[in-house]
Amino acid sequence: MLGSLWEWCSDYYQEDYYGSSPEFDPQGAGSGWARVVRGGAYRDSMAFCRTAFRGYVRPSFTRYDYGFRLVRSEE
């Protein structure tokens, strides 16, 4: 799935958040001016095509290589 499109995440971006966040399943900052994007896109450097890379953009930003993943829960 990585490298196809940048994946929008629900987390707000905060540069130092992961340094002080919980070790297991950090939820991200509660507010901010930008949202986290992950995964890189097919036209970007391979360095961006990994889940550990966190980019950020304003929620109003649009471009052909940004998207989101739908998840269905079977509960």
Side-chain angles (χ1 to χ4, degrees):
M1 299 289 293
L2 299 174
S4 177
L5 295 173
W6 282 98
E7 182 180 327
W8 283 98
C9 299
S10 62
D11 304 25
Y12 283 99
Y13 182 80
Q14 183 179 341
E15 188 171 344
D16 61 348
Y17 179 75
Y18 285 104
S20 61
S21 68
E23 243 181 81
F24 179 74
D25 195 20
Q27 298 299 307
S31 63
W33 62 274
R35 295 284 187 164
V36 172
V37 290
R38 293 185 184 267
Y42 65 97
R43 294 185 63 174
D44 293 315
S45 165
M46 288 180 58
F48 300 133
C49 295
R50 57 193 192 100
T51 57
F53 181 82
R54 293 169 53 245
Y56 58 93
V57 291
R58 291 186 180 278
S60 60
F61 181 78
T62 60
R63 201 167 83 177
Y64 62 90
D65 58 352
Y66 280 69
F68 59 93
R69 185 179 309 174
L70 297 176
V71 177
R72 179 179 170 194
S73 176
E74 297 276 341
E75 290 187 28

